[in-house]
Amino acid sequence: MKKITIAIDGHSSCGKSTMAKDLASAIGYIYIDSGAMYRCCTLFAMRNGLIAADGTIDEAEFERRMPEIQVSFKINSQTGRPDTYLNGACVEQEIRSMEVSAHVSPVAALPFVRAAMTAQQQAMGREGGIVMDGRDIGTAVFPDAEMKVFVTASDEIRAQRRYDELMAKGQEADFNEVLANLRERDRIDSTREVAPLRKADDALVLDNSHMTIPEQNQWLLDRFHEKISD
Ligand code: CDP
């Protein structure tokens, strides 16, 4: 059977990556976390002194160094989940820090960053058989994706989920800071000029505020089976 392309977009911390990973493993597709790629670009910029303490980005130097950034994913044999690699080194933990979260949306709004990551994403998904999550997958990266889902949930519920996730990993976090960060990222993501976050006209909407993980996985699997039997 022909493998399709599945695009899962939505707001920050609404559980897109959990559902996209679970769907991909249930149906034997490859999962790609496009947000991790923007996080890698941000980490690269931070490590190379391209973001000043006040958040100003040295855009000219960043653009010049963009070709040095290669992002890849490798399955972690212990967790069974893909880990993110920046130029061959695992950065899975580091890219999830609050510091990276604080800078990622301005970085992801830069047109040269988007052009480079979009090209890498399109190359990864050329053969179909992928589930990719992000902000612009159904609108800009794969506008012809056969299945598109737009996910959302209330701000407080999303912040609580992200806060719990950081706590579980033993990272430092403050609930109000997490809430403010996700609101600010949603604002920047939705209002930027290039590929803003918006629902594709042909996307199915999922508000998972009051759904458990098994419930959302079942919902997604049911939609997938409907799509492939069309
Ligand atoms: O996990 P969470 O939903 O909070 O964020 P993420 O998926 O890790 O994405 C981090 C950031 O990368 C987002 O806030 C966006 O600014 C940016 N991003 C983007 O611009 N386009 C994408 N396709 C994916 C992420």
Side-chain angles (χ1 to χ4, degrees):
M1 194 191 296
K2 179 185 170 291
K3 290 193 167 184
I4 66 168
T5 298
I6 303 173
I8 302 188
D9 289 306
H11 294 101
S12 304
S13 311
C14 59
K16 295 182 300 293
S17 58
T18 304
M19 72 175 79
K21 270 179 217 163
D22 288 349
L23 177 66
S25 69
I27 63 179
Y29 278 30
I30 293 170
Y31 164 66
I32 297 164
D33 177 354
S34 70
M37 301 174 72
Y38 291 99
R39 288 176 179 272
C40 281
C41 295
T42 307
L43 183 64
F44 177 90
M46 285 164 51
R47 281 180 176 171
N48 289 283
L50 304 175
I51 304 181
D54 68 355
T56 310
I57 303 172
D58 182 346
E59 293 186 29
E61 183 61 8
F62 195 1
E63 183 166 11
R64 196 184 67 75
R65 300 198 56 183
M66 233 14 242
E68 292 175 39
I69 302 179
Q70 273 304 324
V71 183
S72 55
F73 298 96
K74 254 187 253 168
I75 298 288
N76 176 321
S77 56
Q78 285 184 341
T79 61
R81 304 283 200 187
D83 280 344
T84 311
Y85 285 72
L86 170 59
N87 297 333
C90 182
V91 291
E92 186 56 36
Q93 288 291 331
E94 243 178 309
I95 59 167
R96 311 286 167 193
S97 69
M98 281 302 288
E99 208 187 344
V100 170
S101 296
H103 295 297
V104 63
S105 287
V107 166
L110 297 170
F112 60 86
V113 171
R114 298 212 74 78
M117 291 305 108
T118 301
Q120 291 191 20
Q121 289 151 10
Q122 288 171 338
M124 291 172 182
R126 198 165 290 138
E127 309 294 322
I130 58 153
V131 182
M132 191 176 290
D133 80 326
R135 301 292 186 285
D136 62 338
I137 311 307
T139 52
V141 181
F142 296 118
D144 298 329
E146 289 89 345
M147 177 171 164
K148 298 180 186 177
V149 180
F150 188 83
V151 195
T152 192
S154 79
D155 297 5
E156 282 77 11
I157 288 179
R158 291 188 285 125
Q160 189 65 49
R161 289 176 184 160
R162 176 51 55 97
Y163 176 79
D164 292 345
E165 192 179 273
L166 290 166
M167 288 289 119
K169 285 187 194 154
Q171 296 195 14
E172 261 179 56
D174 169 80
F175 177 80
N176 289 323
E177 196 188 326
V178 172
L179 179 62
N181 171 259
L182 73 84
R183 284 184 174 150
E184 179 61 1
R185 282 199 286 135
D186 286 345
R187 189 191 64 75
I188 300 174
D189 295 346
S190 309
T191 56
R192 69 181 173 222
E193 265 175 39
V194 186
L197 166 65
R198 67 170 181 82
K199 183 185 102 51
D201 295 336
D202 51 350
L204 305 161
V205 177
L206 172 64
D207 181 336
N208 68 1
S209 300
H210 303 292
M211 272 181 164
T212 62
I213 290 177
E215 280 168 353
Q216 73 182 22
N217 286 350
Q218 192 57 50
W219 183 93
L220 215 51
L221 213 48
D222 290 345
R223 301 292 85 71
F224 170 74
H225 288 301
E226 279 168 17
K227 279 285 167 201
I228 57 167
S229 62
D230 274 355

